[in-house]
Amino acid sequence: MIQIDYKSGVPIYDQIVSGISRLAVLGILEKDAQLPSVRSFAVKLGVNPNTVQKAYLILEGNGIIYSIAGKGSFIAGNDNAKKELMRSAEKALESAVLNAKNAGISQNEMKEIIKKVFLKEEE
Amino acid sequence: MIQIDYKSGVPIYDQIVSGISRLAVLGILEKDAQLPSVRSFAVKLGVNPNTVQKAYLILEGNGIIYSIAGKGSFIAGNDNAKKELMRSAEKALESAVLNAKNAGISQNEMKEIIKKVFLKEEE
Amino acid sequence: MIQIDYKSGVPIYDQIVSGISRLAVLGILEKDAQLPSVRSFAVKLGVNPNTVQKAYLILEGNGIIYSIAGKGSFIAGNDNAKKELMRSAEKALESAVLNAKNAGISQNEMKEIIKKVFLKEEE
Amino acid sequence: MIQIDYKSGVPIYDQIVSGISRLAVLGILEKDAQLPSVRSFAVKLGVNPNTVQKAYLILEGNGIIYSIAGKGSFIAGNDNAKKELMRSAEKALESAVLNAKNAGISQNEMKEIIKKVFLKEEE
DNA sequence: GTGGTCTAGACCACA
DNA sequence: GTGGTCTAGACCACA
């Protein structure tokens, strides 16, 4: 479901948040689909339950999922949350591109970076 | 001389490294220009001396400045500063692209954003 | 018969207790009317039988319903249901007031809100 | 600075969030005022550092404070965050009042509840 | 079983 | 010193 890179330096909970967000935004996980429980997901990923729960709490705060104590965690059908996610990522990308341009990086180099990032996933 | 943004999340020592590099690239700090001492710079920036020290060590390691014991630190006259700026802009771009990908933005949309940024400048 | 809001954060058994109480107060469930069995009600609500069981126990404890072994559960003909609704509304109000106080809303502003709500109804 | 009620059933981290929010909204803690460090506050309150940090993370998520690793946590000057806090508390109060009215609670009883909540603080 | 709260304590980068 | 990440594990209410 999600691939964690333990050596990347990116916090594990962040990778979980990104992974779930992505699956929700892309519609791979549909509205009201149940997520793995905090405990079972922790076992599957080989991490501490607290780490998974931290991720779920953040996702809930972002409006991507909702959790019901005693029942489980589910994908929210909150389109605003998804749009907000995309908008802020777009804005950040735009400013990174502008910054890169000012540093003298060419359009083609930037496109190479994009390709590289998308390739990494497919490995 | 340099503006530190405490709330940006970018480590302060990183901001100092980029700041000095930028001033060197723009020619505001010319070859062999003397940098402020660690202590005085720390006071001026309102920052811990350790932080400035760390930044100077990195700048020296990257060949952007050189230090002479007992005299001070000076701008090196090469294009290492430019390389540093490109390197850090690339890294930032890469993480923005990764983040955008996780928010569900496609490769083509990202390329459009790049085009848009380059067009805007030409106006 | 009763609408459960899974996302509201209010425990489901509480929603069932309030729901039955409300129907009793409104006279939709009359004195001695038989309630659905725990099992069938659980199925209808899409809820765990334990949850319905817990709600029935509370309702019985509050004197809102009475149970006859082997026959079922029935609405008691008194004003305990009304008391229960008042009690729970009071509790909810108290916590909303506490929360509002912590958000910096003054006593007078709160009293204005009360006045406003009561006026609105009269229109 | 903040009084924790360990027996109230209200989560400790929630009490910290409410307490700090209130001091920020009321202006008692001004923009950029430094909060106690996670550790020292934990010692003062007699709770685990994780509990304080959870509160600080939520406050940061709400835009009430900002944290800088290595420096500390500070009150944000985010008026939108404060307004949002008040607006949502007001809305919740309004609906609790409406609900209480429907349950048959009088205006005067509600005002008594408000008084009671405000008195509790002063003890 | 399921989410949520909390303690105890280690380790890290940054200041 | 300061925030941040993470493990290990207990206990609770709810389903």
Side-chain angles (χ1 to χ4, degrees):
Chain A
M1 187 171 184
I2 283 185
Q3 275 299 357
I4 301 296
D5 180 353
Y6 299 92
K7 298 170 267 171
S8 69
V10 180
I12 297 171
Y13 75 85
D14 244 352
Q15 297 186 45
I16 299 174
V17 168
S18 300
I20 302 277
S21 293
R22 183 152 165 266
L23 294 173
V25 169
L26 296 177
I28 295 170
L29 287 176
E30 292 179 0
K31 182 170 177 324
D32 296 322
Q34 182 161 10
L35 294 171
S37 80
V38 169
R39 281 167 184 72
S40 68
F41 207 15
V43 170
K44 214 193 287 180
L45 296 177
V47 300
N48 190 285
N50 286 333
T51 303
V52 175
Q53 206 193 5
K54 184 172 188 174
Y56 279 19
L57 279 177
I58 292 173
L59 285 162
E60 200 174 353
N62 290 342
I64 300 292
I65 73 173
Y66 61 93
S67 294
I68 303 170
K71 286 209 81 179
S73 299
F74 308 85
I75 299 290
N78 187 341
D79 285 335
N80 273 351
K82 294 181 190 170
K83 275 178 202 157
E84 176 56 30
L85 203 69
M86 290 184 79
R87 220 176 352 177
S88 83
E90 242 175 46
K91 249 187 160 172
L93 179 58
E94 221 173 287
S95 91
V97 168
L98 179 58
N99 184 41
K101 178 167 162 270
N102 287 338
I105 299 175
S106 72
Q107 276 198 60
N108 280 335
E109 285 173 285
M110 293 192 199
K111 287 176 184 166
E112 285 308 314
I113 287 172
I114 290 175
K115 269 190 209 158
K116 201 180 69 186
V117 171
F118 272 82
L119 274 173
K120 213 175 241 172
E121 187 79 348
E122 330 260 311
E123 283 164 17
Chain B
M1 190 170 182
I2 286 182
Q3 272 299 356
I4 301 295
D5 180 355
Y6 295 97
K7 303 183 198 176
S8 71
V10 180
I12 294 174
Y13 75 86
D14 248 347
Q15 296 187 43
I16 298 174
V17 168
S18 300
I20 301 281
S21 300
R22 186 165 294 114
L23 293 175
V25 169
L26 294 175
I28 294 170
L29 288 176
E30 294 180 0
K31 178 165 166 6
D32 300 321
Q34 182 164 10
L35 293 173
S37 73
V38 168
R39 278 195 172 184
S40 67
F41 205 17
V43 170
K44 213 194 286 181
L45 295 177
V47 142
N48 194 298
N50 291 333
T51 307
V52 176
Q53 177 68 20
K54 184 168 186 176
Y56 276 23
L57 281 175
I58 292 174
L59 285 162
E60 204 177 342
N62 291 348
I64 295 163
I65 68 175
Y66 62 93
S67 296
I68 300 174
K71 290 210 69 180
S73 300
F74 307 85
I75 298 291
N78 52 37
D79 60 355
N80 283 335
K82 205 177 170 200
K83 279 183 198 154
E84 162 62 21
L85 283 184
M86 287 182 76
R87 198 194 55 74
S88 95
E90 255 179 49
K91 225 175 147 185
L93 179 58
E94 211 174 300
S95 93
V97 168
L98 177 58
N99 185 40
K101 197 188 85 180
N102 283 334
I105 299 176
S106 72
Q107 278 198 60
N108 281 335
E109 286 173 283
M110 292 192 201
K111 287 176 184 166
E112 284 307 314
I113 288 172
I114 291 176
K115 267 191 211 159
K116 202 181 68 183
V117 170
F118 273 82
L119 274 174
K120 213 176 241 173
E121 195 76 349
E122 330 250 313
E123 283 166 14
Chain C
M1 188 173 184
I2 286 183
Q3 273 298 356
I4 300 296
D5 179 355
Y6 294 98
K7 303 182 198 174
S8 71
V10 181
I12 295 174
Y13 75 87
D14 248 348
Q15 296 187 43
I16 297 174
V17 168
S18 299
I20 300 281
S21 300
R22 186 166 295 115
L23 293 174
V25 169
L26 295 175
I28 295 170
L29 287 175
E30 295 180 359
K31 179 167 166 8
D32 299 322
Q34 181 164 10
L35 292 173
S37 74
V38 168
R39 277 196 171 182
S40 67
F41 205 18
V43 170
K44 213 194 286 181
L45 295 176
V47 142
N48 194 298
N50 291 333
T51 307
V52 176
Q53 177 70 21
K54 184 169 186 174
Y56 276 24
L57 282 175
I58 291 174
L59 285 162
E60 206 179 340
N62 291 349
I64 296 164
I65 68 176
Y66 61 93
S67 296
I68 301 173
K71 289 209 70 179
S73 300
F74 307 85
I75 298 291
N78 52 37
D79 60 354
N80 285 333
K82 205 179 169 200
K83 279 183 199 155
E84 161 63 22
L85 284 184
M86 287 182 76
R87 197 194 55 73
S88 94
E90 253 179 52
K91 226 175 146 182
L93 179 59
E94 210 174 300
S95 93
V97 168
L98 177 58
N99 184 39
K101 196 190 84 180
N102 283 334
I105 299 176
S106 71
Q107 278 198 61
N108 280 334
E109 285 173 284
M110 294 193 200
K111 287 177 184 166
E112 285 306 314
I113 288 172
I114 291 176
K115 268 191 211 158
K116 201 180 70 184
V117 170
F118 273 83
L119 273 174
K120 212 177 240 170
E121 193 79 347
E122 329 251 312
E123 284 165 15
Chain D
M1 186 172 183
I2 283 184
Q3 273 299 356
I4 301 296
D5 179 354
Y6 298 93
K7 299 170 267 171
S8 70
V10 180
I12 297 170
Y13 74 86
D14 244 353
Q15 297 186 44
I16 298 173
V17 168
S18 301
I20 303 278
S21 294
R22 183 152 165 267
L23 294 174
V25 169
L26 295 179
I28 295 170
L29 287 176
E30 290 180 2
K31 183 171 180 317
D32 296 321
Q34 183 160 11
L35 295 171
S37 79
V38 169
R39 282 166 184 73
S40 68
F41 207 14
V43 169
K44 214 192 289 181
L45 297 176
V47 301
N48 191 284
N50 286 333
T51 303
V52 175
Q53 206 192 4
K54 185 171 188 177
Y56 278 19
L57 280 177
I58 292 173
L59 285 163
E60 201 175 353
N62 291 343
I64 300 293
I65 73 172
Y66 61 93
S67 294
I68 303 169
K71 287 208 82 182
S73 299
F74 308 85
I75 299 290
N78 188 340
D79 286 335
N80 273 351
K82 293 181 193 172
K83 277 179 201 155
E84 175 57 29
L85 203 71
M86 290 184 79
R87 219 174 356 180
S88 83
E90 241 176 47
K91 250 187 160 172
L93 178 58
E94 220 173 290
S95 90
V97 168
L98 179 57
N99 183 41
K101 178 166 162 271
N102 287 338
I105 298 176
S106 72
Q107 278 198 58
N108 279 335
E109 284 173 285
M110 294 194 198
K111 287 177 186 168
E112 283 308 313
I113 287 172
I114 291 176
K115 269 190 211 160
K116 199 180 70 185
V117 170
F118 272 82
L119 272 175
K120 214 176 240 169
E121 185 80 349
E122 331 260 310
E123 285 166 17

